[in-house]
Amino acid sequence: MRSLSKSKIIGFRQCPKRLWLEIHHPELAEYDDAAKKAFAIGHQVGALAQTIFDPAGTGTLLDAQTQGYEVVFKKTQELINASEPKRIFEAGFNACGALAFADIMEPTDQTGKSWHMIEVKSAASVKDYYLDDTAIQSYVAIKSGVPLDGVSVAHIDSKWVYPGEGQYQGLLKRVDVSEAAFSRHPEVERWIEEAQAVAKLPTEPNIEPGKQCTSPNPCGFISYCQRGMETVECPVTWLPHIRQNKIEVLEALGVYDLRDVPDKYLTDTQKLVRDCTIEQKRFFEIDATQKFLAKYPFPALFLDFETSNLAIPVWAGCRPFEQVPFQYSLHILDDQGNLAHKEFIDLSGNNPVRPFAEQLVSDCGTTGPIFVYNAGFESSVIKRLADRFDDLSDSLLAINNRLVDLQPLAKAHHYHPDQKGSWSIKALLPTLDRSLNYADLEGVQHGQMAMEAYSEAINPSTSAERKAAIQQQLLDYCELDTLAMVRIWEVFIGVRSPDLGNT
C-alpha cells in the first residue's frame, strides 16, 4: 500500500478523479499563472514563518526533498523524543497509509511530552477547507505516536502594519482549531481508506466535470477532463451574477445554453443578455448616456491605477495585501477635441506611494470630471493616500470627489452580444472600437499580469534590460485602459459611432 500525502488526500476530497490522475498521470496537470503565484507566495510565507516563530534560530528545519522521506521520518521521531525539545519545521509523519509534513511543531513543555502543531497559510483568514487540512495533519501525527495537545492555523493578519527593518513579528495570527481538527479524525480514517481504494483502481474514475473542478481551488486537470466535451455556444455562465444553485437547477432541467433559459429564472439584466444574444442585436440607450455625460464640463480626465498587493509587505507603513499604487495613466480631453496624455510609474523598488500621490495631485489639477471604470477601486486607493499624507489630504479628497464611474452607465444602457455577459472594460471596448485590442499588447494584458510584472521589475535580480522592457509593457497597458475610456465616452456622448457594423 502506498502512503498518500496530505495534499493527495485533500485532492481526493475535492474529486476522486483528481487523486487518481495525480498518482498515475501527473504530467497531464496544467496550472495557470495565478496558481503558480499562489504556490510561490505560500513558500515565501512558510519560510518567513520560521523566523517569526523561532527568532533565535534554535529550531531544526527538515527537508524531505534533499534528505529523503525515510530520513526525515526518522529524524522527526528523534527530535520529538529529545530530552531538550525544540521547534521542528517540516516535521514528517507516516502512519495508516498516509504521510504528512507539519509546517511547525512546537513543544508545549520542556519534557517533550506535549506538542502543538502549527499550519501556516498565506490567506488572510481561516478557510473552511483548512480544517480538513489540519485534521489530516494532526491525525497522521498522532497515529505516528506524537503526544499532540492541539493544532493551530497561522494566517496573515491583514490589519497588521509593517514597521520596517525586516521586523515581521505580528504578520501571522494564530487561531486554535484543535476541536474542529480532532473531531474530524474518524472521518480522516475513512478518507484515507477511500482514497487508497481509488489509488488502486486500474483506470480513472468516471466523473464528469462540475463545480468540484474549481472548488475549493481550481484543479490542474480541468483541461484534460473537458477534452472532447461538446461545447455550449452560449453557456448559462455568461448570465451576469448567476448563482451556482441556479445553474444546477437549470442543468437538472437540461438547460445549458442561456438562450434556452425561461423568463422565470432570470433577472431583468439577465433577460437583456439572453434577448440580445438570441437576436444578435446591440442594446444602446444613447439618449440616456448623452444626458448623463452632458452635465460634465471640459476638460474631461480619464484615470486608471495599477497597484501591487503583496502578501508580505516590503515597505514600512504598509499592510499585507494592501493595494499599493505604483502607476497611473491619465488622458485629458479639452473642449476642442485635443487629447493629452500624462503618466506615472515607479519601478525603483522604493515605496512608490508618496511620489505617486504628489504627481497625481499635480497632473489632475483642480477642474474637470475624472472618469474611471469601477470607481470603488480608485476611490479606495485615493482615500488611503489621503489618510496617509496629511499635507496632500485635501487635494486628494478633492480628486476623489471628482470621480465619475463609467461602468454603471455602461451596465444600465449598453450591451452587445460579444460582451458575453460581462461589462468589464476589456469586454466592452471591442464592441465599441475594434481598432484597440488588449491582445495586441506585448507582455502585460491584464491587471494580474501587471502585478506580476511589477514584482519582477522591483526584484534586485532583474536585469536593467528586462526592467526597461517591463516598464514599457506596463506603460502601454495602462495607457490603453484610459484610452479605452476615452473611446467609451466618445461613443456614449455621441461623437463617435460604435465600430462594429450595424449591430
Side-chain angles (χ1 to χ4, degrees):
M1 178 175 65
R2 71 173 68 234
S3 290
L4 299 177
S5 68
K6 179 260 300 184
S7 62
K8 282 187 170 55
I9 298 169
I10 289 293
F12 162 78
R13 293 276 293 138
Q14 181 166 344
C15 176
K17 187 174 182 178
R18 172 179 173 176
L19 168 65
W20 194 93
L21 290 169
E22 284 181 346
I23 292 172
H24 298 283
H25 288 289
E27 75 281 0
L28 298 176
E30 298 177 7
Y31 296 101
D32 60 17
D33 290 341
K36 293 175 183 176
K37 180 183 178 183
F39 293 147
I41 292 174
H43 289 309
Q44 292 171 8
V45 174
L48 187 59
Q50 296 171 19
T51 63
I52 292 174
F53 286 97
D54 187 27
T58 59
T60 301
L61 172 64
L62 303 177
D63 186 351
Q65 297 301 317
T66 58
Q67 296 173 290
Y69 282 24
E70 294 304 321
V71 171
V72 167
F73 295 146
K74 181 179 179 181
K75 186 66 175 177
T76 295
Q77 292 302 321
E78 292 174 354
L79 294 169
I80 290 288
N81 297 321
S83 58
E84 296 183 7
K86 304 292 184 182
R87 290 182 182 85
I88 311 170
F89 301 98
E90 300 301 327
F93 310 102
N94 187 4
C96 303
L99 54 87
F101 295 89
D103 291 328
I104 304 171
M105 292 295 293
E106 190 172 66
T108 51
D109 65 27
Q110 295 304 308
T111 67
K113 294 180 179 179
S114 182
W115 289 79
H116 194 92
M117 177 184 288
I118 304 171
E119 287 300 296
V120 179
K121 303 297 181 182
S122 57
S125 63
V126 177
K127 310 291 186 183
D128 288 343
Y129 60 90
Y130 291 169
L131 302 180
D132 288 356
D133 185 305
T134 54
I136 297 168
Q137 297 282 82
S138 58
Y139 173 84
V140 179
I142 288 174
K143 289 297 183 178
S144 299
V146 178
L148 194 67
D149 69 0
V151 57
S152 296
V153 169
H155 67 83
I156 292 176
D157 183 356
S158 59
K159 296 180 180 179
W160 176 78
V161 179
Y162 176 48
E165 303 297 327
Q167 301 300 313
Y168 286 98
Q169 293 295 327
L171 171 68
L172 296 174
K173 180 178 181 180
R174 283 177 62 165
V175 178
D176 192 295
V177 297
S178 302
E179 182 178 355
F182 291 165
S183 66
R184 283 173 163 79
H185 284 185
E187 296 178 70
V188 173
E189 187 173 355
R190 187 182 74 250
W191 299 343
I192 295 172
E193 291 176 358
E194 294 173 349
Q196 287 285 358
V198 169
K200 294 175 183 176
L201 291 174
T203 58
E204 65 190 59
N206 184 20
I207 300 174
E208 293 294 319
K211 62 181 180 181
Q212 78 277 4
C213 296
T214 55
S215 178
N217 293 299
C219 174
F221 298 98
I222 292 177
S223 296
Y224 168 76
C225 292
Q226 290 180 339
R227 75 201 187 289
M229 289 183 62
E230 183 178 349
T231 58
V232 179
E233 185 177 358
C234 303
V236 294
T237 51
W238 287 0
L239 292 171
H241 308 299
I242 187 167
R243 297 183 181 275
Q244 180 62 36
N245 61 348
K246 185 172 287 187
I247 293 175
E248 292 172 3
V249 168
L250 293 172
E251 289 178 348
L253 296 172
V255 176
Y256 298 91
D257 193 304
L258 69 86
R259 294 170 294 185
D260 300 326
V261 180
D263 281 359
K264 67 178 181 179
Y265 296 106
L266 300 174
T267 65
D268 289 342
T269 301
Q270 291 169 347
K271 288 177 185 176
L272 172 68
V273 169
R274 181 200 60 185
D275 294 344
C276 287
T277 303
I278 291 172
E279 298 170 8
Q280 284 297 293
K281 289 185 178 179
R282 183 192 303 272
F283 165 77
F284 188 17
E285 295 179 327
I286 190 170
D287 290 344
T289 59
Q290 286 178 327
K291 181 179 180 180
F292 177 85
L293 295 174
K295 61 188 177 185
Y296 295 103
F298 287 99
L301 289 74
F302 302 85
L303 179 66
D304 180 72
F305 293 169
E306 298 303 329
T307 61
S308 173
N309 63 345
L310 301 175
I312 303 173
V314 296
W315 303 297
C318 293
R319 299 189 305 275
F321 306 113
E322 180 179 347
Q323 298 287 351
V324 178
F326 63 86
Q327 178 184 9
Y328 68 74
S329 172
L330 179 70
H331 273 94
I332 304 173
L333 184 67
D334 67 19
D335 57 358
Q336 301 299 310
N338 299 310
L339 187 63
H341 181 244
K342 297 183 179 182
E343 59 192 3
F344 171 90
I345 192 168
D346 184 348
L347 303 184
S348 66
N350 300 320
N351 191 335
V353 294
R354 178 71 194 196
F356 178 101
E358 290 176 342
Q359 188 169 322
L360 182 69
V361 168
S362 175
D363 285 348
C364 285
T366 57
T367 60
I370 302 175
F371 293 102
V372 293
Y373 206 82
N374 185 14
F377 174 66
E378 275 78 15
S379 180
S380 64
V381 172
I382 291 171
K383 287 177 180 178
R384 284 196 298 271
L385 292 174
D387 288 341
R388 184 163 185 169
F389 303 119
D390 290 341
D391 59 323
L392 298 175
S393 181
D394 289 345
S395 297
L396 288 166
L397 292 177
I399 290 173
N400 188 64
N401 290 335
R402 292 160 59 196
L403 298 183
V404 181
D405 198 345
L406 288 172
Q407 189 177 56
L409 185 66
K411 285 185 174 181
H413 303 294
H414 181 277
Y415 184 75
H416 187 280
D418 288 351
Q419 292 176 224
K420 299 180 180 179
S422 172
W423 278 269
S424 72
I425 198 167
K426 294 172 181 61
L428 178 61
L429 177 62
T431 72
L432 302 177
D433 189 338
R434 290 180 296 180
S435 68
L436 301 178
N437 193 333
Y438 284 88
D440 292 337
L441 293 172
E442 180 180 351
V444 178
Q445 298 181 348
H446 55 72
Q448 183 61 45
M449 293 178 73
M451 289 183 181
E452 293 166 2
Y454 176 72
S455 295
E456 181 184 354
I458 65 173
N459 190 312
S461 65
T462 301
S463 69
E465 182 180 9
R466 174 60 181 156
K467 189 170 184 175
I470 291 173
Q471 175 165 315
Q472 190 58 56
Q473 291 172 10
L474 285 167
L475 290 172
D476 291 344
Y477 168 70
C478 199
E479 181 177 0
L480 180 55
D481 271 344
T482 51
L483 184 57
M485 280 186 266
V486 174
R487 296 293 181 256
I488 293 168
W489 180 91
E490 290 175 337
V491 172
F492 282 8
I493 207 168
V495 300
R496 179 189 290 266
S497 297
D499 183 21
L500 256 184
N502 296 321
T503 58

